Amino acid sequence: MSETESRDFIRQIIHDDLESGKHEQIVTRFPPEPNGYLHIGHVMSICLNFGVTAETGGRTYLRFDDTNPGKESPVYVEAIEHDVRWLGFDWEDRLTHASDYFESLYESAVSLVAMGSAYVDSLSADEIREYRGTLTEPGKNSPHRSRSVEENLDLLARMRAGEFADGEHVLRAKIDMSSPNMNLRDPALYRIRHLTHQHTGDDWCIYPMYDFAHTLSDALEHITHSLCTLEFEDHRPLYNWFLDQLKPEHRPRQIEFSRLNLAYAITSKRKLNALVEEGIVEGWNDPRMPTIAGMRRRGYPAAALRHFVTRAGVTKKDKLIEMGVLENCVRENLGVTSQRRMAVLRPLRVVLTNYPEDIVEMVTAMNHPARPELGTRELPFSRELWIEQDDFMEEPPRKFFRLKPGGEVRLRFGYIIRCDDVIKNEAGEVIELRCSYDADTRSGTGSSDRKVKGTIHWVSCAHGVDAEVRLYDRLFTVAKPNTADDFHAVLNADSLQVVEAKLEPSLASMKAGETVQFERLGYFCIDSEEHSGSRPVINRIVTLRDSWARLEQQAMQQG
RNA sequence: UGGGGCGUAGCCAAGUGGUAAGGCAUCGGGUUUUGAUCCCGUGUACCGCAGGUUCGAAUCCUGCCGCCCCAGCCA
């Protein structure tokens, strides 16, 4: 089966549930906590949850899991909504919050207490930890575990009423302190937090814990398949315990899949935050960040991200996906959608000694070699041109078919030129090339069908537009930066290079967010934050595949 | 030394007892005024290891090994 036809194990389950009539319609949810920005790992979950319902005519909720007011903020709520929408998904009227259900959740807690399945504990956090035991030793019961239902009901009501300070009491499920599954050792259900909540304000001073709130929210929304990552597999017995105890009419099934890890990147919210706080990157939307906001600003198309997670697949196996897979998805998408332009990143002046000084010719350039319907544009060609420094070598290795002393090369859409002289500065650096052009070789004229091996790009000096171009590279030097003792030690010092580039004049009118291919260099997009008409700022999204660079690298490695 | 999960080519991943799909990468070759794109070709994967069942096992059984997760009043 090809990647588009394959049915992963979750889609298989869903397919079976539909076919057997267990469910008529699939309902899922994407439940982020609004305590940070979404990253590439979330893209996977978003595409899965919204994808399976889009494919089967189901519904998906965007639900904010906002049960911890100390860490959450409306700025994240807004950013998350923007990111999900940008990725191409629509929750229609199904935008909810776990906090929308606080009253109902509280009633469930009261029920649990009433049936003797939960109790108010007055041990301190430290004591609770001690009583919990360890991975190999069972825990022991809290002395408060045997409180009467009446006392528990009274205490819980007073917790809600605000009679106690933070940490004084906690509501716990009464399950099994000796369970080998730590999640079942009387997990906390509610804690006291005298804090203003980003969505419910000061309505509450007790807040439900994740397991309790999440399970019941799923049930209340009639979620059929609650899809989450592998680390929650141990929580499933607790998830089911809540459902058993409270016997909801709608019983969601939790299914776990493995996270998507990207090589050379980090997806820990804490570490991502550190990168921002320490000024290592410029913000959550720094184009080097693996956040959705960062990738969007970098110029990665949403469709490429969706394609990427499809390629990665849905399984339970730990995966570390190569950066190249993501980059290829981006190239594939941009390759067909982006118009071609010319720009020189590291300019080297070329003077065509036999070209008239006062003439400017207009040459015609295709906007896309495979899509003639995208038309052409006219480029000014004159006596002095910028070419890429890399496109000239004084002492080239074999198979270098760009410019070299005495050698010929074609200027894209222009003429064939020959390098006659190399001008250097006092330091011995090449600062200018004196070349001659062959007037019979103008592109498209057909007056000469001479062939030369190389074609290079160029920009007319008199017409070029100055721009700041930002060249990005991976943020880390190792494939698994998350396993480093200190991620600072594996930061890539060269993750950002800024160059002063020369652009063909047509680029001057581009608007923020627009994407083009600079021929022979890569895909670039106009920065959405810092670009201005008078000062173009451009991001390199990804380079073109470069088999010459690969050869050079191999040659280097072989000495 | 407790519990839960996972182990198919460099990276992903199909496969659910009948003799190993596909994608990406790699390496060849062709086309090409982007060393891009496109096109063609290219991999002996001892299916983690060792036993066993079977005419036949990646698929079933047993034992072992390796990796990941769990001891928040975080999610």
Side-chain angles (χ1 to χ4, degrees):
Chain A
M1 264 190 278
S2 79
E3 69 185 49
T4 50
E5 303 168 286
S6 69
R7 187 178 277 157
D8 57 69
F9 80 101
I10 289 178
R11 274 178 247 255
Q12 187 59 49
I13 290 170
I14 282 170
H15 175 259
D16 292 346
D17 286 348
L18 248 14
E19 200 152 70
S20 72
K22 178 176 178 184
H23 298 294
E24 282 182 12
Q25 190 183 40
I26 301 306
V27 186
T28 59
R29 95 280 90 115
F30 172 61
E33 182 187 15
N35 71 340
Y37 288 81
L38 264 24
H39 53 64
I40 186 70
H42 294 110
V43 174
M44 166 95 159
S45 177
I46 294 167
C47 290
L48 211 212
N49 277 293
F50 282 94
V52 296
T53 56
E55 291 154 21
T56 61
R59 312 189 305 269
T60 298
Y61 287 81
L62 171 60
R63 182 173 74 224
F64 289 100
D65 226 330
D66 54 350
T67 57
N68 188 353
K71 291 186 173 177
E72 296 151 9
S73 150
V75 316
Y76 297 123
V77 170
E78 220 169 284
I80 288 168
E81 287 181 43
H82 181 206
D83 287 348
V84 175
R85 210 174 275 125
W86 175 79
L87 252 191
F89 299 102
D90 184 3
W91 53 86
E92 298 174 351
D93 59 346
R94 292 177 289 277
L95 177 70
T96 60
H97 305 73
S99 59
D100 294 337
Y101 312 124
F102 277 177
E103 193 61 51
S104 169
L105 261 36
Y106 180 79
E107 286 168 20
S108 293
V110 170
S111 306
L112 242 27
V113 170
M115 64 180 83
S117 293
Y119 63 99
V120 173
D121 200 350
S122 309
L123 254 25
S124 71
D126 284 343
E127 289 169 323
I128 285 182
R129 189 180 318 118
E130 284 164 27
Y131 275 71
R132 186 156 32 228
T134 69
L135 295 178
T136 50
E137 303 158 36
K140 55 187 180 185
N141 289 166
S142 163
H144 308 290
R145 200 178 202 258
S146 51
R147 284 215 254 240
S148 70
V149 168
E150 291 66 32
E151 188 182 3
N152 282 323
L153 251 13
D154 174 62
L155 252 13
L156 178 57
R158 290 164 60 197
M159 281 169 65
R160 176 180 184 173
E163 290 186 27
F164 307 115
D166 290 6
E168 244 184 280
H169 304 287
V170 61
L171 183 73
R172 291 230 255 169
K174 190 186 286 189
I175 307 180
D176 179 6
M177 287 307 290
S178 64
S179 172
N181 181 343
M182 301 298 284
N183 296 111
L184 264 20
R185 320 249 261 227
D186 289 12
L189 266 30
Y190 269 90
R191 75 287 218 188
I192 301 170
R193 284 285 128 89
H194 290 272
L195 283 176
T196 300
H197 184 280
Q198 59 91 14
H199 187 60
T200 60
D202 295 314
D203 292 352
W204 296 85
C205 64
I206 58 172
Y207 293 95
M209 299 290 291
Y210 162 82
D211 289 291
F212 187 65
H214 189 258
T215 306
L216 294 182
S217 298
D218 279 352
L220 289 166
E221 289 174 352
H222 301 177
I223 302 300
T224 56
H225 302 265
S226 182
L227 313 178
C228 62
T229 42
L230 242 36
E231 69 269 27
F232 293 103
E233 199 143 27
D234 283 345
H235 294 239
R236 195 168 66 226
L238 178 56
Y239 188 95
N240 290 332
W241 184 88
F242 287 131
L243 296 175
D244 289 342
Q245 293 293 308
L246 298 162
K247 298 185 171 53
E249 187 184 344
H250 297 273
R251 206 166 201 290
R253 198 231 279 211
Q254 175 177 308
I255 305 170
E256 310 83 10
F257 59 91
S258 61
R259 294 182 104 102
L260 184 162
N261 298 297
L262 226 205
Y264 296 96
I266 251 172
T267 49
S268 144
K269 276 183 189 173
R270 207 197 93 246
K271 288 174 183 169
L272 252 15
N273 192 51
L275 290 174
V276 175
E277 290 301 310
E278 296 172 24
I280 294 165
V281 297
E282 283 160 34
W284 285 95
N285 66 347
D286 186 293
R288 291 165 289 178
M289 292 283 269
T291 52
I292 294 179
M295 295 187 290
R296 175 172 57 237
R297 185 172 166 198
R298 173 81 168 258
Y300 287 7
L305 260 25
R306 282 187 245 117
H307 187 193
F308 171 65
V309 299
T310 301
R311 275 195 181 162
V314 180
T315 64
K316 300 189 71 158
K317 190 164 83 172
D318 288 344
K319 56 183 124 214
L320 180 67
I321 300 181
E322 293 168 343
M323 206 44 125
V325 179
L326 211 205
E327 292 179 338
N328 269 314
C329 290
V330 172
R331 289 189 186 106
E332 277 175 34
N333 180 285
L334 262 19
V336 329
T337 60
S338 299
Q339 292 210 2
R340 265 105 251 230
R341 292 292 183 272
M342 290 207 285
V344 174
L345 261 25
R346 295 182 175 86
L348 172 62
R349 183 182 299 270
V350 164
V351 178
L352 302 179
T353 52
N354 60 340
Y355 194 90
E357 293 196 22
D358 51 354
I359 287 189
V360 176
E361 272 184 275
M362 297 307 282
V363 301
T364 302
M366 303 246 298
N367 287 331
H368 191 121
R371 299 178 62 189
E373 73 275 17
L374 293 180
T376 60
R377 64 192 188 286
E378 301 297 304
L379 293 173
F381 184 93
S382 63
R383 189 169 191 265
E384 297 198 11
L385 308 168
W386 298 117
I387 67 164
E388 207 70 56
Q389 286 172 23
D390 285 352
D391 286 337
F392 171 78
M393 278 188 99
E394 197 168 14
E395 295 173 20
R398 286 188 60 74
K399 289 196 173 177
F400 179 85
F401 38 89
R402 279 117 93 155
L403 243 204
K404 57 189 172 188
E408 285 190 319
V409 76
R410 160 148 242 133
L411 293 174
R412 178 83 160 145
F413 303 122
Y415 298 90
I416 291 175
I417 61 170
R418 185 182 65 240
C419 177
D420 304 315
D421 266 308
V422 179
I423 316 281
K424 297 181 185 175
N425 62 13
E426 287 160 7
E429 296 160 340
V430 177
I431 54 166
E432 184 180 307
L433 264 22
R434 315 290 285 190
C435 301
S436 46
Y437 86 112
D438 180 343
D440 290 333
T441 57
R442 178 170 166 165
S443 183
T445 59
S447 58
S448 167
D449 41 357
R450 279 180 60 198
K451 296 267 183 190
V452 288
K453 189 74 175 166
T455 298
I456 65 173
H457 55 96
W458 53 275
V459 168
S460 166
C461 292
H463 310 273
V465 176
D466 291 322
E468 174 177 330
V469 175
R470 298 171 175 175
L471 309 174
Y472 300 103
D473 197 358
R474 50 188 60 157
L475 261 176
F476 295 94
T477 57
V478 296
K480 299 181 181 183
N482 55 311
T483 61
D485 293 333
D486 177 7
F487 73 78
H488 296 86
V490 293
L491 276 168
N492 176 10
D494 297 318
S495 61
L496 170 62
Q497 279 185 57
V498 179
V499 297
E500 286 297 315
K502 304 290 184 182
L503 315 180
E504 67 165 74
S506 72
L507 256 7
S509 57
M510 290 193 61
K511 293 189 276 293
E514 282 191 65
T515 295
V516 293
Q517 181 196 94
F518 287 168
E519 295 212 20
R520 302 210 308 130
L521 295 174
Y523 297 94
F524 292 77
C525 97
I526 311 305
D527 189 67
S528 51
E529 300 284 321
E530 295 171 44
H531 174 79
S532 74
S534 57
R535 179 61 181 164
V537 176
I538 297 176
N539 298 315
R540 183 173 69 194
I541 303 166
V542 64
T543 62
L544 252 31
R545 267 217 194 81
D546 188 348
S547 54
W548 170 248
R550 210 188 303 138
L551 284 175
E552 271 188 317
Q553 231 174 30
Q554 285 172 4
M556 292 249 294
Q557 284 166 0
Q558 289 162 11

